[in-house]
Amino acid sequence: QVQLVQSGAEVKRPGASVKVSCKVSGYTLSQLSMNWVRQAPGKGLEWMGRSDPEEGEASHAQNFQGRVTMTEDTSTDTAYMELGSLTSEDTAVYYCAIMNVYNSNFPDWGPGTLVTVSS
Amino acid sequence: QSVLTQPPAVSGAPGQRVTISCTGNRSNIGAGYDVHWYQQLPGTAPKLLIYGNSLRPSGVPDRFSGSKSGTSASLAITGLQDEDEAEYYCQSYDISLSAHVVFGGGTKLTVL
């Protein structure tokens, strides 16, 4: 059974960057397809992208191109999502989620990290 | 605006049956990609409820069922219970642009 533990809540100024971590236990991170999904307050789910170092490529939703970096530290089984040039519209709960690569669903989710962007 | 369209809200009395629709197009559901459904209780992460259009993960009651036809999919909940009150999201895959994974806007289920 895979477990995901995310870093704590963050408060950032507009224009800053935030880096959220997601530590995997129960499996080796390199065996998994780690994705990131966010949810603004009172809004729906928005897929941000995934990192897949084993295949040598990452895939990001167009809304985040050039602004998001997704990395993995296989020595600690920890995935990271860094989002830059923050605006108030980036205030959201950020989830890491494991994708089932056979049918592209998400059976396992982290608890979420609240990122608040405020001046 | 979400790529997959869901009704914002549905409601039903305990014991009743409700359905939630998820409408896509030829670049996602209509292209043959599977539809998955998630239940999200307030303040918690989404939970996979239905995968592969109609399959239930272990532990999900058989009161929940899914179906897909053409460019749409549906989630049905029978024998409605108070604890079913939650937000429900559909999800699929899309071949257009770079939005490979797409979610519906979510449907709030209220148990009357």
Side-chain angles (χ1 to χ4, degrees):
Chain A
Q1 179 78 5
V2 64
Q3 291 190 322
L4 306 175
V5 177
Q6 296 188 228
S7 48
E10 302 260 16
V11 178
K12 294 293 182 181
R13 300 293 190 196
S17 297
V18 67
K19 192 170 186 177
V20 178
S21 67
C22 175
K23 182 169 176 57
V24 176
S25 61
Y27 276 83
T28 300
L29 180 57
S30 59
Q31 299 173 299
L32 306 172
S33 176
M34 181 63 76
N35 287 241
W36 293 86
V37 177
R38 78 174 184 181
Q39 185 172 36
K43 302 296 184 181
L45 302 170
E46 180 180 23
W47 180 74
M48 299 179 68
R50 65 173 172 266
S51 59
D52 206 341
E54 193 166 289
E55 293 188 4
E57 62 181 31
S59 179
H60 305 142
Q62 190 172 37
N63 286 351
F64 303 99
Q65 295 283 4
R67 204 160 67 91
V68 69
T69 304
M70 296 175 184
T71 57
E72 298 184 356
D73 181 346
T74 55
S75 68
T76 61
D77 287 324
T78 302
Y80 298 92
M81 186 286 298
E82 185 169 18
L83 185 63
S85 302
L86 294 171
T87 72
S88 58
E89 295 187 347
D90 294 315
T91 294
V93 175
Y94 290 77
Y95 295 101
C96 57
I98 303 299
M99 174 183 275
N100 179 325
V101 298
Y102 296 106
N103 52 23
S104 301
N105 63 56
F106 301 105
D108 298 292
W109 295 69
T113 295
L114 174 62
V115 175
T116 303
V117 183
S118 174
S119 55
Chain B
Q1 188 168 351
S2 302
V3 174
L4 304 179
T5 301
Q6 298 180 233
V10 298
S11 62
Q16 286 190 331
R17 177 181 187 269
V18 297
T19 62
I20 299 172
S21 61
C22 174
T23 303
N25 56 41
R26 287 181 293 179
S27 68
N28 41 66
I29 299 175
Y33 293 110
D34 286 343
V35 177
H36 320 292
W37 291 90
Y38 301 84
Q39 178 192 60
Q40 186 177 33
L41 299 172
T44 68
K47 168 191 169 185
L48 182 63
L49 198 63
I50 296 287
Y51 69 97
N53 306 315
S54 60
L55 302 173
R56 286 186 306 277
S58 174
V60 173
D62 59 6
R63 301 186 296 104
F64 295 90
S65 63
S67 64
K68 172 191 160 185
S69 178
T71 58
S72 296
S74 289
L75 172 70
I77 310 172
T78 58
L80 208 55
Q81 299 181 3
D82 290 344
E83 57 261 36
D84 298 334
E85 185 160 298
E87 195 83 22
Y88 292 85
Y89 294 91
C90 61
Q91 177 245 314
S92 188
Y93 195 86
D94 193 295
I95 59 175
S96 68
L97 301 176
S98 66
H100 303 298
V101 173
V102 289
F103 286 96
T107 299
K108 170 64 176 178
L109 168 62
T110 299
V111 181
L112 302 172

